[in-house]
Amino acid sequence: QVRVVESGGGLVQSGGSLRLSCAASGSIVSISAMGWYRQAPGKQRELVADISSGGSTNYADSVKGRFTISRDNAKNTVYLQMNSLKSEDTAVYYCSAAAQIYGRPYEYVYWGQGTQVTVSS
């Protein structure tokens, strides 16, 4: 199967920065899209940003100009650089990887366990 592990969350003051990392490992043939989602207390999980294997990116309007997603295909790793953080960015951040594994002809989306980001005002 595929294991997806996030790291880099923590507590930061408003206006500060954090960098999240996420690595996918296992019997991976290929990964198309990788992305970051977040879920704040009492709210639904929402897309923050995603990136294709070719480097095309997509951002939520609320993070455009502040967050940057990037990817290292050789390491099956995706990063999220978060600058100018606001209290409303406080949430659990989840990484996703749309991966094809050996023995399966189709992709499946795998999720990490999440990492907490708390922005204090």
Side-chain angles (χ1 to χ4, degrees), residues 20-60:
L20 305 183
S21 300
C22 168
S25 61
S27 303
I28 298 171
V29 174
S30 62
I31 299 177
S32 57
M34 299 187 78
W36 289 97
Y37 291 72
R38 66 186 181 188
Q39 188 167 18
K43 294 187 177 180
Q44 290 188 329
R45 189 174 297 189
E46 63 176 0
L47 173 70
V48 176
D50 60 20
I51 183 168
S52 71
S53 57
S56 297
T57 58
N58 178 44
Y59 293 92

Side-chain angles (χ1 to χ4, degrees), residues 89-106:
D89 295 318
T90 294
V92 177
Y93 284 69
Y94 296 92
C95 176
S96 69
Q100 182 182 352
I101 65 172
Y102 289 100
R104 286 186 181 177
Y106 52 86

Side-chain angles (χ1 to χ4, degrees), residues 33 58 62 64 73 80 94 116:
N58 178 44
S62 59
K64 283 181 180 177
N73 289 332
L80 186 68
Y94 296 92
Q116 177 71 45

Side-chain angles (χ1 to χ4, degrees), residues 5-22:
V5 179
E6 304 100 336
S7 61
L11 173 64
V12 64
Q13 288 189 332
S14 180
S17 298
L18 279 176
R19 187 187 193 219
L20 305 183
S21 300
C22 168

Side-chain angles (χ1 to χ4, degrees), residues 64-104:
K64 283 181 180 177
R66 301 188 298 122
F67 291 10
T68 302
I69 190 169
S70 60
R71 177 172 173 172
D72 185 333
N73 289 332
K75 296 181 179 180
N76 290 332
T77 299
V78 64
Y79 306 94
L80 186 68
Q81 178 65 43
M82 304 185 294
N83 298 327
S84 302
L85 282 160
K86 305 175 181 179
S87 57
E88 50 262 45
D89 295 318
T90 294
V92 177
Y93 284 69
Y94 296 92
C95 176
S96 69
Q100 182 182 352
I101 65 172
Y102 289 100
R104 286 186 181 177

